[in-house]
Amino acid sequence: MGKTVQPTLLHSCAKASSASELLFRVQYPNSRHRRALFLGLDDAATDLIRSQPAIASQPVYRLAADAPNQLTLSDERGSVGHLEALISAHDLVLMVSTNASQDQAAAGIYDTARSHNIMVNWIILHQQPGRRPQVANQIFTKDPDIIATTIDALRIGDL
Amino acid sequence: MLRKEINDLLTQTNAGTPMGDLFRQYWIPALLASELPEDDCAPVRVKLLGERLLAFRDSNGEYGLIDEFCAHRGVSLWFGRNEEGGIRCPYHGWKYDVNGNCIEVPSEPEESGFCEKIKLSAYPLIKLGDILWTHMGDKDNVPDLPKWEFATVPAEQTYSSKRWQESNWLQAMEGGIDSSHVSFLHSGGLKSDPLFKGAAGNKYNFNDKKPVFEVVDSEGGLYIGARRMAEEGHYYWRITQWVMPSFTMIPPRGDHPVHGHFWIPIDDENCWAWSYDYHPTRALTDQERQYMIEGNGVHNQYVPGTFRPLQNKDNDYLMDRDAQKRGELYSGVWGIAMQDASLQESMGPIVDRTKENLVSTDNGIIMARHKLRKAVNALTEKGVTPPGRDTNHHLVRSVAKVLPKDQPFSEACADDFKAEVGKPQTTV
């Protein structure tokens, strides 16, 4: 241990923490609502996201089947838009896949998001190891309930 | 963010709570074997999962873990006399064996059989490695003995310590699976700590401070992989093991011993941080063992005669602002263990997770909470045996490895993750 500085009495009161103090020690709310772009990389994944009650009022996108490599997205009403145009209105992308069919598109989505400094989280609900692209922070599980948990954990549910 | 009801569910472990019931499914570390060094030695007060207990070693070398308090008038048996096959209350001489049976009530006629009606709660206490383990759950449903590699290698290959941490167990455990803090909080330690420095892989930590995380289900819990840029076309992977409910194994560095933790609740506002170091294929050197005793690596120094860290909240963890300014210690606190503990204790006795703001690098924490919650609910509602109880789940290794960029670690390291006697660790 190197040279140390002895504590002073000035700080002593701050050490008197208690469990009840924690109920008021952090001013709350302490963050602005994060706007998430919810994106299913395949049909089953899109259905799983759309079934989440916590985001009932938010659009859920899927890759448009006719142009997967151009990162064209469509929402449940059929509105079509390009990821590049949509993404800037969001703070993070939560994408979900249940198979490996769109793994290369995932890499493109990650690159686009990164160019806008937007966080990407990818939940992978299949167990084929495959040579999927090593992009984004990934959760690899068989348990689809992790979608609801992640929505809660990242505070991206409906206001 | 975690909803209040789930935060309460996961942080409360006293008897009768759902999370307490989950912990009581497992063998958990209770004491260092060195705390009961010989037959009829002094007993030790132990508090685990909110229960006040007394550990002792009787005249026959049998270990016991029983209620701390005498059934007569509630006196602490820690004041008792450990003699002739039992612990005797110093107040009126009632005597108990290692199974909590009252074997003598001197004031009553022996033929009355009164003492046969008296029994204290008792839990099994067994020695494995340099630790005494207990199972505080259903006596008719005791799991097989633990097979953690650090506790089963020869004694010269392993070292364990424990320290009192003044916080709930969950925020301590979450620190152990939160690899993203290493590049900041422990950055000084990678250069200076004798049990970390010098590994070839450390350069990747220094060069890439923004690791990307991949969290993968394992049979007992999770693999938490952190990848950093390595040579062209390659990533440097560090994969931590988390096995339910609270075992972690940190990836190795070079040929240093590998280390990890158990976090065991004392009560809801305190926990034991157990730390182990072992090498799977060689004895620890005298120098390495000495470093551990001196509090390097994941270990710590103590207030003499206690398991309270020498650096604690009463002395501001001996914060060194000059070293912080010079960049030697990122937080100004010396030692990997106390760098973690100081910040985790600063969060308060039980952190209010309803107010936190998680990001995608917290996926390991999100997944661990998710798996704990599901296991608690499955146990409570359907009696489902939780992951980590099957001793095959104990036979794990953490891994540090450089892999081609397109190779998933879960596939490339499948064999590296399995603990086998005499198998070298996979490390860089």
Side-chain angles (χ1 to χ4, degrees):
Chain A
M1 233 174 293
K3 179 189 157 204
T4 56
V5 177
Q6 289 303 308
T8 69
L9 288 173
L10 291 174
H11 300 302
S12 297
C13 61
K15 293 178 198 152
S17 71
S18 65
S20 56
E21 172 211 314
L22 298 192
L23 300 176
F24 57 83
R25 72 152 54 165
V26 176
Q27 295 297 316
Y28 186 79
N30 56 9
S31 60
R32 285 185 298 173
H33 185 70
R34 280 186 270 190
R35 295 156 299 172
L37 192 155
F38 297 98
L39 175 56
L41 294 183
D42 54 71
D43 288 344
T46 309
D47 290 344
L48 278 170
I49 308 174
R50 285 180 179 159
S51 70
Q52 301 300 319
I55 56 168
S57 71
Q58 301 183 61
V60 175
Y61 293 91
R62 51 156 294 155
L63 281 170
D66 56 343
N69 296 323
Q70 294 171 37
L71 301 180
T72 305
L73 312 182
S74 64
D75 66 14
E76 45 268 78
R77 293 167 306 178
S79 303
V80 175
H82 195 274
L83 176 68
E84 186 79 41
L86 286 167
I87 203 165
S88 55
H90 296 86
D91 300 306
L92 71 93
V93 176
L94 180 66
M95 58 184 182
V96 178
S97 63
T98 66
N99 60 55
S101 62
Q102 298 293 353
D103 278 1
Q104 291 315 311
I109 293 162
Y110 177 72
D111 288 343
T112 303
R114 204 168 57 163
S115 70
H116 289 264
N117 294 316
I118 290 172
M119 180 196 306
V120 181
N121 220 357
W122 184 7
I123 297 173
I124 299 164
L125 297 171
H126 58 92
Q127 291 289 316
Q128 306 106 306
R131 293 280 193 267
R132 71 184 178 284
Q134 306 284 350
V135 297
N137 290 298
Q138 301 174 0
I139 291 176
F140 207 139
T141 179
K142 289 178 182 169
D143 180 3
D145 292 346
I146 193 62
I147 299 172
T149 295
T150 304
I151 288 168
D152 242 13
L154 297 178
R155 295 182 181 282
I156 52 178
D158 293 342
L159 282 173
Chain B
M1 188 272 275
L2 198 63
R3 292 173 189 274
K4 181 182 184 304
E5 59 272 23
I6 304 175
N7 199 34
D8 291 346
L9 179 80
L10 299 184
T11 55
Q12 297 173 0
T13 60
N14 289 347
T17 61
M19 190 68 209
D21 289 345
L22 187 90
F23 263 103
R24 286 167 173 82
Q25 291 286 306
Y26 303 89
W27 284 100
I28 57 174
L31 303 90
L32 288 164
S34 58
E35 292 179 74
L36 294 175
E38 58 190 22
D39 299 352
D40 287 335
C41 61
V44 177
R45 282 171 289 196
V46 178
K47 190 176 183 187
L48 290 172
L49 307 179
E51 296 186 40
R52 293 276 299 263
L53 304 165
L54 188 82
F56 68 104
R57 180 169 162 180
D58 73 9
S59 314
N60 302 317
E62 299 283 327
Y63 293 105
L65 187 62
I66 64 173
D67 263 357
E68 181 189 337
F69 303 101
C70 180
H72 181 205
R73 302 278 309 283
V75 163
S76 172
L77 293 169
W78 178 76
F79 292 95
R81 301 169 62 88
N82 187 11
E83 58 188 16
E84 296 167 348
I87 187 93
R88 186 185 295 280
C89 179
Y91 211 3
H92 303 91
W94 292 31
K95 188 173 180 181
Y96 302 91
D97 70 12
V98 292
N99 297 312
N101 299 309
C102 183
I103 53 176
E104 209 180 316
V105 178
S107 60
E108 297 299 302
E110 204 170 312
E111 59 274 20
S112 73
F114 175 73
C115 71
E116 290 164 20
K117 296 173 183 161
I118 307 292
K119 181 168 171 39
L120 298 179
S121 294
Y123 302 114
L125 191 65
I126 56 110
K127 182 175 182 295
L128 187 69
D130 49 8
I131 290 175
L132 300 178
W133 305 72
T134 190
H135 172 253
M136 294 172 65
D138 183 355
K139 288 178 173 52
D140 296 325
N141 187 17
V142 180
D144 292 340
L145 295 181
K147 288 186 180 166
W148 306 107
E149 192 175 33
F150 81 91
T152 55
V153 293
E156 62 271 21
Q157 292 176 218
T158 191
Y159 175 84
S160 301
S161 69
K162 70 173 190 181
R163 66 176 160 78
W164 170 27
Q165 177 154 336
E166 297 173 69
S167 79
N168 182 263
W169 78 278
L170 186 60
Q171 64 209 58
M173 192 275 285
E174 288 174 348
I177 56 174
D178 164 25
S179 305
S180 68
H181 76 277
V182 176
S183 298
F184 301 93
L185 182 61
H186 303 316
S187 52
L190 292 187
K191 293 174 188 157
S192 60
D193 191 294
L195 296 170
F196 284 74
K197 68 180 184 183
N202 290 1
K203 67 183 176 203
Y204 305 120
N205 284 80
F206 298 134
N207 294 340
D208 183 355
K209 291 191 183 300
K210 289 192 175 177
V212 177
F213 293 89
E214 183 173 321
V215 184
V216 180
D217 274 334
S218 70
E219 292 200 350
L222 293 172
Y223 303 116
I224 299 162
R227 68 166 166 78
R228 293 174 170 83
M229 302 303 290
E231 287 74 18
E232 181 64 31
H234 291 77
Y235 287 128
Y236 170 59
W237 283 97
R238 293 182 58 75
I239 304 126
T240 299
Q241 292 273 2
W242 173 65
V243 180
M244 285 183 60
S246 67
F247 170 87
T248 59
M249 186 185 291
I250 301 163
R253 293 191 180 275
D255 191 46
H256 289 306
V258 65
H259 43 254
H261 305 276
F262 266 105
W263 282 275
I264 302 298
I266 296 173
D267 55 28
D268 292 344
E269 299 185 3
N270 298 274
C271 68
W272 287 119
W274 285 87
S275 303
Y276 62 83
D277 252 295
Y278 78 103
H279 199 291
T281 57
R282 66 164 172 82
L284 304 180
T285 66
D286 291 345
Q287 182 69 82
E288 284 171 339
R289 195 172 290 275
Q290 189 59 32
Y291 285 142
M292 294 166 196
I293 292 167
E294 289 170 358
N296 292 286
V298 293
H299 307 281
N300 61 282
Q301 300 177 352
Y302 296 99
V303 174
T306 76
F307 289 106
R308 193 179 197 209
L310 181 64
Q311 305 155 264
N312 56 59
K313 65 180 180 182
D314 291 340
N315 57 25
D316 283 334
Y317 306 92
L318 302 176
M319 156 78 79
D320 185 342
R321 290 286 183 196
D322 291 338
Q324 185 181 36
K325 228 166 214 174
R326 287 194 303 271
E328 292 166 16
L329 300 172
Y330 197 80
S331 73
V333 173
W334 181 86
I336 304 280
M338 295 315 300
Q339 287 161 3
D340 285 327
S342 57
L343 301 190
Q344 291 157 7
E345 290 180 356
S346 80
M347 295 157 78
I350 309 173
V351 69
D352 180 359
R353 293 176 174 80
T354 66
K355 294 171 179 169
E356 65 186 9
N357 289 282
L358 300 184
V359 292
S360 60
T361 51
D362 294 315
N363 280 347
I365 289 171
I366 294 170
M367 270 292 275
R369 293 174 185 173
H370 179 74
K371 291 186 81 100
L372 284 168
R373 178 173 63 85
K374 293 203 96 173
V376 169
N377 289 340
L379 175 67
T380 305
E381 292 162 14
K382 298 175 186 164
V384 175
T385 301
R389 194 173 135 112
D390 180 339
T391 53
N392 288 318
H393 299 169
H394 302 178
L395 299 172
V396 294
R397 293 259 181 95
S398 54
V399 167
K401 196 169 189 176
V402 174
L403 293 172
K405 275 191 171 177
D406 65 348
Q407 208 166 2
F409 77 72
S410 51
E411 184 182 71
C413 302
D415 285 335
D416 304 301
F417 289 139
K418 296 175 189 163
E420 291 171 31
V421 176
K423 186 172 90 173
Q425 55 188 355
T426 304
T427 181
V428 182

